[in-house]
Amino acid sequence: MTKSSLERFAPVLNLQHSARARMRPVSVSAVEISGGFWAEPLRINREITIPGQYRHLETTGRLDNFRRASGRKQCDFQGIFFNDSDVYKWLEAAAWALASDRDPEIEAMADAAIDEIAPAQQADGYLNTYYMFERAEQRFSNLAVMHELYCAGHLIQAAVAHHRATGKRSLLDVAVRLADHIDRTFGPEPGKRPGACGHEEAEMALVELAREVEEPRYLALADFMVACRGREPRVLDGKEYLQDHLPVARQFEMTGHAVRQLYLLCGVADLALEGEQPDLEHALQAIWNNFTERRIYITGGAGSRYEGEAFGGDYELPSDRAYAETCAAIASVMWNWRMLQLTGEARFADLLEWTLYNAVISGWSLDGSRYFYENPLSDSGKHRRSEWFGCACCPPNLARTIASLTGYLYSVADDGVYLHLYAASTAHLQDSRGSQLTIRQQTDYPRSGRIQITVESDSGLDSTLWVRIPGWVGEGAARVTVAGAETTAMSGAYFPIAIRGKLTEAVVDLPMAVQELEAGPEVASCWQRIALTRGPLVYCFEQADNGTLDLARCTVQPGVANWRIATDDAPGGQVMLEGDAEVQSEAGKLPLYHPWDSRAPTKSSCSLRAIPYYAWANRDPGPMLVWVAAR
Amino acid sequence: MTKSSLERFAPVLNLQHSARARMRPVSVSAVEISGGFWAEPLRINREITIPGQYRHLETTGRLDNFRRASGRKQCDFQGIFFNDSDVYKWLEAAAWALASDRDPEIEAMADAAIDEIAPAQQADGYLNTYYMFERAEQRFSNLAVMHELYCAGHLIQAAVAHHRATGKRSLLDVAVRLADHIDRTFGPEPGKRPGACGHEEAEMALVELAREVEEPRYLALADFMVACRGREPRVLDGKEYLQDHLPVARQFEMTGHAVRQLYLLCGVADLALEGEQPDLEHALQAIWNNFTERRIYITGGAGSRYEGEAFGGDYELPSDRAYAETCAAIASVMWNWRMLQLTGEARFADLLEWTLYNAVISGWSLDGSRYFYENPLSDSGKHRRSEWFGCACCPPNLARTIASLTGYLYSVADDGVYLHLYAASTAHLQDSRGSQLTIRQQTDYPRSGRIQITVESDSGLDSTLWVRIPGWVGEGAARVTVAGAETTAMSGAYFPIAIRGKLTEAVVDLPMAVQELEAGPEVASCWQRIALTRGPLVYCFEQADNGTLDLARCTVQPGVANWRIATDDAPGGQVMLEGDAEVQSEAGKLPLYHPWDSRAPTKSSCSLRAIPYYAWANRDPGPMLVWVAAR
């Protein structure tokens, strides 16, 4: 890969000129997955998911809505008023896929979609297929509810990705005209209005557009939208559900609609990357703490309430009715990625990886054709993935995340290159001293915790490869071997591997012990229960692996269950765990509520099998639980 | 009390001529509470709640909506489209209050309300203040959503109660005209339409109106409405949420909106009381089993989901987000009352009483001025009662239930008189042989389980008083003493006390031991937790009684906690329990999810105090839980 193509296939976030970026991402195309865990999802995303979703866009009328708006087709508006966003998110997925592999079929689909979108844009730059014709007068009249700026944001994100991946301006020009229209409408200047969207998204999109076309107006507009929240005049009715209850700088809890909240945090982090915003950064940290200390699922899932797809109160984390929307987990990945680039702190990379493995890809069937909207932590067997949804936010969100995965493996900083995610891959990077580095990871992580790394440097100049030692590794248990010298590496931090000369070889060893985790006693649903993890994977118990055992009546004794590898071909290709347990037999039929001492004393030994949570619901329907009863 | 007044003040349900009633209720006015548990709630309901709610009806525009409809006032429709029903439910409460005590102030308020309602009725009998003027053309155009028949049902119930309590026809005539209008609109005959309401209520109201005015057309109409559900043409879009997914006779689970479901079951039970309906009776039994075996809270609360105020799946019974709407518990009382009259089986009376004490009156502050809509089983201290609601279904529902309470104490059957509820009271009844019985209960139940009963018979003819031995009494633990002879009485059944001569004296002794209950292992939120009960009362642990103890970190050891009476003046006038427990101290700050073996080993002994659940949230806000952790 040549340097010029590296420049063209720019990173997921372009922070090359961001004033406050502690790290800068590398381009999606700079890293190639060479096998291991991610090879198959990336292939499936490219071959099955992205083409399959395009067909859904067509058959559900989402593309027809653009044809209607441009006058190419006479029909009613179809579906939900924010359906444009699904087309844009799909385009972003297609664009990132093209950044890795310029597949002509995907490029043709993307060009075809853009060819429907562009003529739907109005002369003044406005573009939203719902607010056409009889509804044209109502444009921007209901910012709290109607998602116009949200849709615009997704168009902008897609356009930026498409421009970076292909060099084409066909969608970018549309996005710029729309951004200019929004910029003429909203702002602090005379003749403009205060404004922000009830569903955040435009903020981060505008920052990214500002970076892409080097236009500071869009940055100022995003800043203005954030500043409009929680202040007079109330543009969003002051609703906490829409993060409009307080000025953002004074917000300190994860609250309201989960995806909205997390998209807001992405935009705020983007602003913080561009210029000093101490109050906003304080809010980012406070909300991150509230999230990780009180409102996150063990999977990384975000948002516990079905009603409103929202965050619940502190420790309100039910397993069976966990909402944990796939989009919210993706938004958390996006936010933690920005926090990582901003601060360089490994805890953000830890949560990003954990969320990716346990809350994002659970939203996807192993064959790439079906999706979860909600990701519960226990289920009776009724919750299954669907091919599509009326509100289809999650499927293309997954596709764009998987398509851009290679952009999340590394960052470059002044003090070296940072390796965030372990995955069999080859990367071509340039460090801050200008050396061209080729970094190869050989590993079947997370099946095993051994990663062999070679770094070739064209210059031979000294450099540093900082490798992330995840926080889940027990203290003092990780080892890094460089040139035959083994060192113990601190967990929850980046460990520096010195790059000397033209070839450096290193091995990272992360112990993959099975851990039995419990929750704090405030989490009512987890009381006297444990969840299993191995490496970055949360496990679950699914009926398909456990015969006729009644999972609700099984108990394990922490510390003595002797968790071991049962097979190495669990669904998803990871290891299946097995441990010793007891099953309580039902001694006759007891009432639902009955005296404690009437419990059936008869228990028998059994084995329980667990698979990675992300791989559940890919076989025959049956009960599943993450948190198994402990005794 | 004379026989003629008994006839006039007819019972809550008039089953005097119901073909299949195993039991027949006695009139609200036949029983007078003479002290004990219920004296104060009845006084408060009469003096505080009913007058206070009338003021809310006035200040929130609910009465103005009638004035607008009648042309007496020019104003916009105010509030929610089904707000008429709150006025009607309040009128029913006032009527039952008048049946017990013809208070002139309440009667004047009731007459004033009726004087606003009657002129709002249209010439054709239609009456709904929302569908007036510009909306008149849309009458009965959206049965699934718009609650017109629901409102009509509440008008009918209020009218029947008002007629029974006062002998006045002022509201009954309105109800009859409306019922006739509905009967001209819906039905199987040519020129009529299929129809049923998305919110059931009209069914039971029409049956009761048929009984009151002896008009079988209304019975047939109710039967038709039930028959329309789950069949073609789909009048309610086939929605399970509206119990329209299957023919009612083939429904077997508690599903959808909880109040709707339970009101449907009331109407179906009413139909079964009037004529043989084996398929419907089968459905009633199946749904009762599903409810009590899988979908009921330990309090009797019904409906676990906030989203849609709905039943969840089997065993989906979270504590912190229990919806358990007050109206749903009231509906369960109404349904179980009908099932009891239909079958004579004590299990329905058991559930009725349990629900009344633990899920209905929890919806009410002890001072009668504030209400819960939702009744969670654990709380952080944020959930408090409100003076009123925009959707104010619960407050007047509570008022009508309390006002009619005396109608639930007894029934009369061919084989004697049945005593369902223990309460200090005097009843004047006529048994099936025509004897006038005066039954006095002296008791402070449920503080104690001793009830002294005297029965005076004017005739001296042999009769039987069947007293309910609740199912919560341990087998063989209840004793009944008649004429000095003590007998052990089977629990969960009625025990016959022979009435001989003109005066019979008996004592019922129900042991009031504290019980530690657990739930079946399928109820995830209750795993390794116990709930306390004493007699018919479920207890809870409230911060106000437990100093600075962190309730989430307290554990009790079942069997050795030595539950004892701490004081006899807990809020609500019941006993407060105290037991030995341990509190786990927080050894430093652990992550939300952490290895099991890192738990803090330091525990210290403590005492935990519990009060009856219904009395919680009457003092300083703080955490509350019903299910305490067990070890």
Side-chain angles (χ1 to χ4, degrees), chain B residues 326-380:
Chain B
T326 303
C327 280
I330 290 169
S332 177
V333 164
M334 292 163 60
W335 178 43
N336 278 284
W337 181 244
R338 286 159 173 77
M339 296 300 287
L340 176 63
Q341 308 311 304
L342 179 65
T343 64
E345 293 175 26
R347 61 189 170 122
F348 299 112
D350 277 2
L351 183 53
L352 184 158
E353 182 191 47
W354 194 270
T355 305
L356 185 65
Y357 277 109
N358 301 303
V360 172
I361 61 172
S362 60
W364 206 30
S365 63
L366 293 172
D367 68 4
S369 69
R370 302 175 79 88
Y371 311 92
F372 273 147
Y373 200 112
E374 311 93 10
N375 293 272
L377 276 72
S378 72
D379 182 58
S380 65

Side-chain angles (χ1 to χ4, degrees), chain A residues 415-477:
Chain A
D415 60 351
V417 173
Y418 284 75
L419 192 173
H420 307 303
L421 298 184
Y422 295 111
S425 57
T426 303
H428 300 279
L429 312 173
Q430 182 177 295
D431 73 7
S432 61
R433 299 180 68 182
S435 302
Q436 297 290 335
L437 305 179
T438 298
I439 308 175
R440 287 193 178 81
Q441 298 186 46
Q442 287 180 282
T443 183
D444 63 354
Y445 181 92
R447 268 164 88 106
S448 88
R450 166 165 283 227
I451 305 101
Q452 293 182 289
I453 299 172
T454 61
V455 183
E456 294 171 38
S457 167
D458 70 340
S459 67
L461 294 173
D462 287 356
S463 187
T464 304
L465 177 68
W466 299 83
V467 295
R468 184 174 65 91
I469 309 299
W472 50 259
V473 175
E475 202 50 71

Side-chain angles (χ1 to χ4, degrees), chain A residues 296 305-307 316 321 516-520 522 524 527-530 558 592-594 596 599 629, chain B residues 296 305-307 316 321 516-520 522 524 527-530 553 558 592-594 596 599 629:
Chain A
I296 194 172
R305 289 189 185 170
Y306 267 66
E307 60 275 21
E316 182 191 323
R321 294 292 283 175
E516 295 168 322
L517 300 189
E518 65 168 2
E522 301 87 352
W527 173 251
Q528 198 73 10
R529 294 175 188 275
I530 59 165
L592 183 57
Y593 305 107
H594 49 262
W596 173 276
R599 282 189 300 176
Chain B
I296 193 170
R305 289 190 185 170
Y306 266 67
E307 61 275 22
E316 182 190 323
R321 295 291 284 175
E516 295 168 322
L517 300 189
E518 65 167 1
E522 301 88 353
W527 171 251
Q528 198 72 12
R529 294 176 189 274
I530 59 164
R553 294 183 172 273
L592 183 57
Y593 305 107
H594 50 262
W596 173 276
R599 282 189 300 177

Side-chain angles (χ1 to χ4, degrees), chain A residues 14-24 211 219 270-276 341-342 414:
Chain A
N14 184 353
L15 305 180
Q16 304 311 319
H17 304 290
S18 297
R20 305 196 56 259
R22 165 81 176 78
M23 297 178 172
R24 291 176 300 280
R211 293 170 184 147
L219 190 61
D270 267 330
L271 289 170
L273 278 158
E274 296 306 319
E276 201 160 0
Q341 308 311 305
L342 179 64
D414 292 343

Side-chain angles (χ1 to χ4, degrees), chain B residues 25-278:
Chain B
V26 303
S27 70
V28 169
S29 58
V31 182
E32 188 179 354
I33 294 293
S34 56
F37 185 92
W38 289 104
E40 191 64 358
L42 264 68
R43 181 190 70 77
I44 286 173
N45 194 44
R46 209 167 46 236
E47 296 180 6
I48 309 290
T49 306
I50 291 175
Q53 291 187 359
Y54 185 80
R55 288 188 290 274
H56 282 296
L57 297 180
E58 191 63 272
T59 57
T60 59
R62 282 168 168 82
L63 288 168
D64 273 350
N65 285 339
F66 287 95
R67 295 183 186 111
R68 169 180 178 269
S70 65
R72 287 183 180 172
K73 188 161 181 172
Q74 304 290 319
C75 58
D76 288 336
F77 181 87
Q78 293 172 71
I80 309 176
F81 56 85
F82 52 81
N83 272 3
D84 289 0
S85 61
D86 301 326
V87 178
Y88 302 144
K89 256 189 287 190
W90 176 87
L91 261 171
E92 188 184 343
W96 294 128
L98 292 174
S100 288
D101 175 3
R102 201 135 176 185
D103 178 273
E105 189 197 348
I106 292 179
E107 186 155 10
M109 283 188 282
D111 287 340
I114 294 167
D115 184 53
E116 302 295 354
I117 293 166
Q121 188 164 38
Q122 304 300 291
D124 63 358
Y126 183 87
L127 175 51
N128 186 299
T129 70
Y130 182 77
Y131 280 108
M132 291 298 302
F133 311 119
E134 75 285 1
R135 283 189 282 259
E137 285 183 11
Q138 300 166 47
R139 287 174 189 164
F140 296 134
S141 64
N142 190 348
L143 295 175
V145 172
M146 294 304 288
H147 288 50
E148 284 162 285
L149 296 172
Y150 166 87
C151 289
H154 276 302
L155 167 59
I156 293 167
Q157 284 192 312
V160 167
H162 185 251
H163 183 244
R164 286 184 191 161
T166 65
K168 296 180 183 174
R169 292 193 61 97
S170 51
L171 196 59
L172 188 65
D173 288 340
V174 175
V176 165
R177 283 193 295 269
L178 177 54
D180 286 342
H181 177 80
I182 296 168
D183 186 43
R184 285 192 300 273
T185 309
F186 300 102
E189 299 86 358
K192 297 186 185 181
R193 303 161 45 188
C197 189
H199 198 313
E200 298 92 330
E201 157 67 25
E203 298 81 1
M204 65 176 134
L206 286 165
V207 175
E208 198 67 2
L209 184 64
R211 292 170 184 149
E212 188 69 9
V213 300
E214 298 183 12
E215 174 50 79
R217 275 190 295 118
Y218 305 140
L219 190 62
L221 181 56
D223 192 54
F224 178 72
M225 287 176 175
V226 169
C228 280
R229 289 193 122 76
R231 291 212 174 82
E232 298 298 337
R234 294 287 187 176
V235 293
L236 304 169
D237 307 326
K239 287 191 178 151
E240 184 168 346
Y241 184 68
L242 309 178
Q243 296 78 45
D244 190 39
H245 54 307
L246 288 172
V248 175
R250 283 173 42 212
Q251 295 183 19
F252 60 96
E253 283 181 337
M254 278 290 194
T255 191
H257 185 264
V259 179
R260 285 171 165 88
Q261 168 75 82
L262 284 154
Y263 279 6
L264 170 64
L265 297 170
C266 289
V268 171
D270 267 330
L271 289 171
L273 278 157
E274 296 305 318
E276 201 160 0
Q277 302 252 27

Side-chain angles (χ1 to χ4, degrees), chain A residues 360-413:
Chain A
V360 172
I361 60 172
S362 60
W364 205 31
S365 63
L366 293 172
D367 68 3
S369 69
R370 302 174 78 89
Y371 311 92
F372 272 148
Y373 201 113
E374 310 94 11
N375 293 272
L377 276 73
S378 72
D379 182 57
S380 65
K382 291 185 177 173
H383 188 69
R384 312 303 287 181
R385 296 184 183 85
S386 299
E387 284 191 8
W388 195 249
F389 305 98
C391 172
C393 48
C394 298
N397 221 350
L398 256 165
R400 69 171 178 157
T401 305
I402 302 297
S404 59
L405 183 93
T406 53
Y408 290 104
L409 268 60
Y410 294 92
S411 296
V412 176

